[in-house]
Amino acid sequence: MTAASPSPFDFDSPIERRGSGCFKWDSNPSADTLPMFVADMDFKAPEPVLQALQQRVAHGVFGYTWVRDEYFDAVNNWFSRRHNFPIERDWILPTIGIVPAVSAILKAFTEDASSHVGVMVQTPVYHCFFSSIRRMGCDIVESPLVADAQGVYQIDFEQFEQQAALPTTRVFLLCHPHNPSGRVWSIHELIRMGEICAKHGVTVVSDEIHCDLMFPGLTHTPFATLTPEFKDSCITLSSPSKTFNLAGLQIANIVIANRRLRSKVQKALFAHELQGVNPFGVEGLIAAYNEGEAWLDALRDYLQDNYQYIQEQLATHLPEITVYPQQATYLAWIDCSALGLNGDELAKKLLQEGELRISSGMGFLPFSGAHGDQQNHFIRLNFACPRSVLDEGLQRMFRVLKPLRE
Ligand SMILES: Cc1ncc(COP(=O)(O)O)c(C=O)c1O
């Protein structure tokens, strides 16, 4: 047997991000705060991406961008190769981010609606879904996920169908894979959700921004690939920004096979001036999709190891709290019910007493805080960082939370 060769990619060395104008590290109450909240990684982008950006900078002229063929080919090749989803050039609408895309799509649905537009979401879910829905004047239609005894979120299909059948429900915003839990929906679940939506005339908008971050050995099934009917009626949202840590480059794609639906969304993009992208986003995407594959596969190994490390550390030092089982993403969804504080209280305590900034689980509920009294006892912890940084974060967490057991 030959020993495995060491990874040529360095995910272990911490990178000083303070002072780089970085939201994650520069927006905290003190320089000593350890941020493990917002979903960006503390890793450099793959080397080919850095080289492509440097080359573009060296050119020195940064006028308006034309998205060239190579970009569309890179998207098509990536999705064909990695996700068995060939994407025709015409289906792709490049834009500056998934959240602006969601808002524009919802706007498109309100234009031809005679009443309020209801948008279904499976809660807890990515908090910007709520802000987009609210800002576009739509209604949040909640379909809560139900955790089973193992902490695996299940869909209450009866309730899901009741919500889809409401006369105002027009859109289902699917988070696939799911943020914050890292749950990967099965083909059976996806088909059942899709069929219910089709039956009630609800358009599925599948946000697949986390699709490349499956744990090793697992594959992602794009919603659009499940049936020809789904492909012809759904909207897929994708971006290299989570995968390769390029969020600041602001590049994303709206993928719509159906020409009429595409032109409706394109109109909304134009109306909101969201059709223009920047040169760095274009170069970054091309390099990442064409040359970032080996880096990504090494990253997925590293992330899974970090996740396992969290599991082990919790089991050893604070077994009262548990991290939910997950199959994708770098966001750990941690159930702290046994400690008696809600998510907001835990987040505040960790920040004030441990200088650890994590996300309160309550941010992933639509009617908590200023919007209502929904509560949970979760925190979400971003573990896309060197192991030594993760370890420091966990130590801070244990110092603050252990005394709560007594
Ligand atoms: C499910 C989901 N969608 C969208 C985004 C953000 O996308 P963008 O930065 O392209 O607006 C995130 C970021 O965490 C996310 O988790």
Side-chain angles (χ1 to χ4, degrees):
M1 231 172 73
T2 52
S5 47
S7 167
F9 307 103
D10 178 11
F11 299 111
D12 275 328
S13 306
I15 297 166
E16 179 56 81
R17 297 184 67 190
R18 280 171 289 219
S20 68
C22 147
F23 177 58
K24 188 177 183 182
W25 285 84
D26 285 335
S27 70
N28 300 309
S30 83
D32 292 329
T33 304
L34 183 55
M36 302 181 91
F37 67 113
V38 62
D40 88 24
M41 305 196 275
D42 290 327
F43 304 126
K44 278 193 187 180
E47 191 54 37
V49 172
L50 304 182
Q51 282 174 14
L53 295 178
Q54 276 155 7
Q55 252 182 36
R56 188 63 189 83
V57 169
H59 181 261
V61 186
F62 309 112
Y64 296 115
T65 303
W66 172 249
V67 183
R68 60 190 193 277
D69 289 350
E70 214 183 334
Y71 176 99
F72 297 100
D73 291 343
V75 174
N76 178 33
N77 289 336
W78 181 262
F79 279 87
S80 302
R81 209 165 60 234
R82 304 272 310 183
H83 305 302
N84 203 13
F85 182 22
I87 297 178
E88 289 177 24
R89 185 200 162 111
D90 287 352
W91 303 354
I92 303 172
L93 304 173
T95 188
I96 59 167
I98 301 281
V99 174
V102 168
S103 292
I105 291 163
L106 297 184
K107 196 71 197 164
F109 276 84
T110 60
E111 304 279 87
D112 57 2
S114 50
S115 61
H116 261 220
V117 169
V119 181
M120 245 168 86
V121 286
Q122 292 173 299
T123 55
V125 79
Y126 177 53
H127 53 94
C128 289
F129 284 2
F130 311 141
S131 46
S132 278
I133 296 171
R134 287 197 174 100
R135 285 180 193 146
M136 293 305 118
C138 302
D139 295 331
I140 296 170
V141 180
E142 206 183 350
S143 179
L145 295 165
V146 186
D148 67 16
Q150 282 72 43
V152 178
Y153 277 125
Q154 304 296 337
I155 300 161
D156 175 347
F157 278 103
E158 211 174 296
Q159 196 272 355
F160 183 93
E161 177 146 17
Q162 276 167 12
Q163 299 296 66
L166 293 173
T168 51
T169 304
R170 300 274 313 280
V171 176
F172 168 41
L173 208 38
L174 169 66
C175 194
H176 172 41
H178 180 250
N179 172 10
S181 73
R183 170 83 151 81
V184 171
W185 306 114
S186 71
I187 288 176
H188 171 74
E189 287 166 326
L190 291 165
I191 289 181
R192 201 160 161 199
M193 288 190 276
E195 283 175 347
I196 291 171
C197 287
K199 178 172 157 196
H200 297 287
V202 172
T203 299
V204 177
V205 177
S206 186
D207 178 346
E208 304 189 7
I209 194 170
H210 294 283
C211 74
D212 296 310
L213 295 168
M214 308 288 287
F215 281 178
L218 299 174
T219 51
H220 169 74
T221 307
F223 179 81
T225 60
L226 288 164
T227 72
E229 291 75 24
F230 290 178
K231 183 184 289 173
D232 191 48
S233 61
C234 80
I235 299 176
T236 305
L237 303 176
S238 83
S239 167
S241 65
K242 297 290 153 201
T243 315
F244 298 102
N245 211 23
L246 307 179
L249 299 188
Q250 296 192 301
I251 190 80
N253 293 303
I254 306 173
V255 178
I256 310 176
N258 181 290
R259 188 198 307 239
R260 245 175 0 137
L261 184 57
R262 194 167 61 242
S263 94
K264 173 167 149 167
V265 170
Q266 193 161 29
K267 256 191 1 216
L269 284 179
F270 280 125
H272 293 85
E273 310 298 350
L274 288 172
Q275 75 283 14
V277 292
N278 76 74
F280 301 108
V282 171
E283 300 310 324
L285 177 145
I286 293 171
Y289 281 166
N290 286 349
E291 299 172 76
E293 202 147 1
W295 179 94
L296 174 59
D297 289 335
L299 171 78
R300 291 162 68 213
D301 287 339
Y302 196 88
L303 293 177
Q304 187 182 39
D305 287 350
N306 270 0
Y307 172 71
Q308 280 167 357
Y309 186 69
I310 296 173
Q311 279 182 315
E312 286 160 20
Q313 289 291 305
L314 289 183
T316 309
H317 299 288
L318 197 49
E320 290 79 0
I321 72 175
T322 48
V323 56
Y324 269 25
Q326 69 186 77
Q327 299 143 305
T329 82
Y330 49 74
L331 306 162
W333 187 236
I334 302 178
D335 182 357
C336 302
S337 311
L339 302 180
L341 297 182
N342 71 33
D344 283 359
E345 291 163 342
L346 289 161
K348 192 169 164 197
K349 205 170 171 59
L350 287 165
L351 185 61
Q352 287 179 347
E353 296 174 24
E355 293 189 293
L356 176 66
R357 187 169 174 194
I358 46 76
S359 306
S360 160
M362 286 164 60
F364 301 88
L365 298 175
F367 305 114
S368 73
H371 297 285
D373 58 8
Q374 279 183 326
Q375 287 205 24
N376 65 23
H377 301 83
F378 286 83
I379 56 175
R380 193 195 72 174
L381 182 135
N382 175 346
F383 57 84
C385 57
R387 174 67 62 81
S388 57
V389 178
L390 173 60
D391 202 36
E392 171 64 24
L394 292 173
Q395 297 319 315
R396 291 185 190 206
M397 191 167 109
F398 296 147
R399 269 202 300 280
V400 176
L401 299 188
K402 268 184 172 180
L404 292 175
R405 306 182 295 186
E406 282 128 30

